[in-house]
Amino acid sequence: MPGASILFLRACLALLAMPIYLLSFLGIWKPFCSKVFFPYFLEKISAVHEKKAKKHKQELFHNLPNFKSPSGELKLLEIGTGFGANFQFYPAGCRVTCTDINPNFQQGLLRNMSKNQHVHYERFLVAAGEDLHQVPSGSVDAVICTLVLCSVHSVSSTLKEVQRVLRPGGAFYFLEHVAADPSSWKYFWQQVYYPTWKLVFCGCCLTREIWKNLQEAKFSEVKLQHINITLPWTPIQPHIIGYAVK
């Protein structure tokens, strides 16, 4: 019965979103979403998420200076930089390479760069998390990835690239929304929303168990915590936060 209920509610949601499904069929939605809708939506929801997550991020990033290279420099690579919401948490003088598969965040990104001039911005690369070939192996001290692994094509391939670009002893920092407990109503509604949510929000998957990918990856140490960050009217309350050492 739960399976039938999920299918019925998915169909109802698809009917409500029928114009978007039609635009997707015609090949119009994806370019419009990546260029106009998703950057607009992300900027709005990011403002809400940042208020809720600020304390968690402060705690997460406080030990970034511990991963400086022997030369004393701290080189960061951020996957899925978006508007640069994390810049405010980075230590003064660190060098940041920004990457994103979507180049349409420029206005908000430049605004956050101007607000956070304690950081040295090295370059911006249009790149997917699974393919960071422009970044040399073992060249960065820390990789940062927040609210990105939900929408990459392959979490395991992205984590392999993370490990490749990190120097030995470097760290991967993450904050990601994940699947709820399978026995919960939250998970039920994640299942209902899943197909339409993924279409509307540029491939964002609601039910990924990303903690399992991190545990299976070849990190020497993983510090991971399950937390809740409540965003009104969204099914993305469960999150994981932490860092993993190469």
Side-chain angles (χ1 to χ4, degrees):
M1 285 301 291
S5 300
I6 288 169
L7 290 174
F8 173 74
L9 291 168
R10 279 182 177 180
C12 293
L13 197 57
L15 281 173
L16 291 172
M18 187 56 68
I20 294 175
Y21 277 91
L22 179 60
L23 290 173
S24 178
F25 177 77
L26 296 172
I28 297 170
W29 175 252
K30 189 173 181 179
F32 172 78
C33 180
S34 63
K35 190 171 183 178
V36 180
F37 174 77
F38 192 61
Y40 173 82
F41 169 81
L42 189 63
E43 188 166 24
K44 299 303 178 186
I45 199 168
S46 288
V48 179
H49 191 274
E50 283 309 303
K51 288 179 183 176
K52 304 269 188 179
K54 186 172 184 178
K55 185 178 177 182
H56 295 294
K57 284 190 176 184
Q58 286 172 334
E59 293 173 359
L60 174 64
F61 294 126
H62 84 279
N63 69 339
L64 263 174
N66 295 350
F67 293 97
K68 286 181 181 178
S69 66
S71 68
E73 275 194 327
L74 180 62
K75 292 184 179 180
L76 308 182
L77 173 73
E78 182 162 2
I79 299 174
T81 304
F83 293 109
N86 294 324
F87 293 160
Q88 61 183 303
F89 304 105
Y90 295 162
C94 68
R95 309 177 75 85
V96 181
T97 296
C98 304
T99 74
D100 206 294
I101 196 170
N102 187 341
N104 295 300
F105 298 112
Q106 189 172 8
Q107 189 175 353
L109 181 61
L110 290 173
R111 188 161 55 245
N112 268 323
M113 283 179 167
S114 65
K115 286 180 184 176
N116 295 282
Q117 298 197 8
H118 64 289
V119 174
H120 178 79
Y121 303 102
E122 298 224 286
R123 55 180 175 156
F124 179 86
L125 305 173
V126 178
E130 301 93 333
D131 183 10
L132 301 169
H133 69 271
Q134 296 152 287
V135 183
S137 299
S139 63
V140 298
D141 303 303
V143 176
I144 288 89
C145 188
T146 60
L147 303 183
V148 174
L149 294 179
C150 60
S151 55
V152 298
H153 290 300
S154 169
V155 177
S156 59
S157 296
T158 300
L159 293 179
K160 284 179 183 176
E161 276 292 80
V162 167
Q163 290 174 322
R164 181 187 66 79
V165 302
L166 277 173
R167 65 165 176 81
F172 172 56
Y173 285 76
F174 54 88
L175 171 61
E176 299 289 341
H177 70 81
V178 293
D181 183 328
S183 64
S184 68
W185 278 107
K186 290 174 189 173
Y187 188 74
F188 174 86
W189 286 108
Q190 284 180 335
Q191 293 278 357
V192 170
Y193 275 99
Y194 184 92
T196 298
W197 185 276
K198 186 176 181 181
L199 172 66
V200 173
F201 300 114
C202 281
C204 175
C205 298
L206 292 171
T207 56
R208 286 186 172 172
E209 297 174 326
I210 297 169
W211 65 90
K212 292 183 179 179
N213 298 101
L214 285 159
Q215 289 162 355
E216 291 165 2
K218 294 177 181 178
F219 289 104
S220 64
E221 179 185 5
V222 178
K223 293 194 176 290
L224 183 150
Q225 183 182 2
H226 288 260
I227 61 171
N228 287 315
I229 298 176
T230 304
L231 297 178
W233 305 104
T234 72
I236 56 174
Q237 181 177 341
H239 287 63
I240 57 169
I241 188 170
Y243 65 93
V245 180
K246 179 177 175 179

